Amino acid sequence: MKAVYIILGILIILFIGSQIFAWNSQRNTETYDYKVVKQYDNFEIRTYEPTLFTSVQLSTSAYKESSSKGFSILAGYIFGGNNKNEKIAMTSPVSMSLDSTMTMMFMVPKKFQKETLPKPNESKIKFIEEPAKTVAAIRFGGWANDETIAKYKKELLAALESKGIKYTDRFYFLGYNAPYELFNRKNEIIIELEKQ
């Protein structure tokens, strides 16, 4: 019985350690900065500056399959899968376009320009410049899946319709947490707004 308590104690310590590590990592991670233009009850309008991303286009629109595959490909690149074997810092959030096929994107740390980035070993990885944009954003917690993404897309569209705000068909999912983080999980759906 004593051995069971010792093992349980070790597991609890490891779990707490992993959550503290995740929380500290999140605080020190470079993020996709934005400015809030207007706050509503359940969504906000924000602007983003032009930003460089590493990206990979995936052949499926199913969230679980595409997020796992896309993350694996892009993580391989930033963990040294490039012509310089160079590690590149992880950024937040991970972004996914929500189209008939998904494109997963990692923001490139600001110290890099497109010309100075190491060349990926994986030919599917492309560098794309996302232009400046104005978006509407809605936030939700927990773990994302196809059902929650569809639910919050619908909720965001209904909110925009009720306010008479014109939008495009360019949706993105933004995920801010590592898979092993259990607390304070943050996800967002954003949609680009029509230019005024």
Side-chain angles (χ1 to χ4, degrees), residues 102-168:
M102 288 186 176
T103 299
M104 178 172 273
M105 300 183 291
F106 286 3
M107 186 186 82
V108 173
K110 291 181 178 67
K111 71 174 187 175
F112 290 100
Q113 275 75 48
K114 198 172 183 179
E115 304 71 38
T116 61
L117 278 166
K119 185 179 176 184
N121 295 341
E122 170 59 72
S123 62
K124 290 180 183 176
I125 293 175
K126 309 291 180 202
F127 301 125
I128 56 174
E129 301 251 14
E130 279 287 301
K133 56 191 172 191
T134 301
V135 307
I138 191 167
R139 183 174 297 174
F140 62 98
W143 276 265
N145 55 42
D146 290 309
E147 290 73 28
T148 54
I149 288 170
K151 174 187 171 184
Y152 285 97
K153 272 176 74 173
K154 188 175 177 182
E155 193 174 314
L156 181 56
L157 288 179
L160 293 174
E161 293 281 357
S162 73
K163 301 292 182 189
I165 298 170
K166 303 289 186 188
Y167 52 86
T168 70

Side-chain angles (χ1 to χ4, degrees), residues 45-58:
I45 306 297
R46 58 175 71 153
T47 57
Y48 287 94
E49 294 298 314
T51 306
L52 180 63
F53 287 85
T54 55
S55 72
V56 60
Q57 188 168 10
L58 303 155

Side-chain angles (χ1 to χ4, degrees), residues 58-100:
L58 303 155
S59 57
T60 176
S61 62
Y63 170 78
K64 186 173 182 181
E65 185 183 339
S66 56
S67 62
S68 177
K69 187 173 181 184
F71 191 91
S72 175
I73 292 169
L74 293 179
Y77 170 67
I78 68 168
F79 294 150
N82 54 67
N83 66 331
K84 296 180 181 176
N85 296 322
E86 183 177 349
K87 287 187 169 61
I88 299 167
M90 185 69 193
T91 56
S92 180
V94 172
S95 176
M96 294 178 72
S97 66
L98 300 175
D99 300 312
S100 55

Side-chain angles (χ1 to χ4, degrees), residues 180-195:
Y180 56 83
E181 285 185 67
L182 298 184
F183 305 108
N184 300 316
R185 294 190 65 81
K186 176 180 161 188
N187 311 286
E188 293 176 333
I189 303 294
I190 65 172
I191 184 170
E192 290 187 33
L193 301 183
E194 286 186 3
K195 289 181 178 166

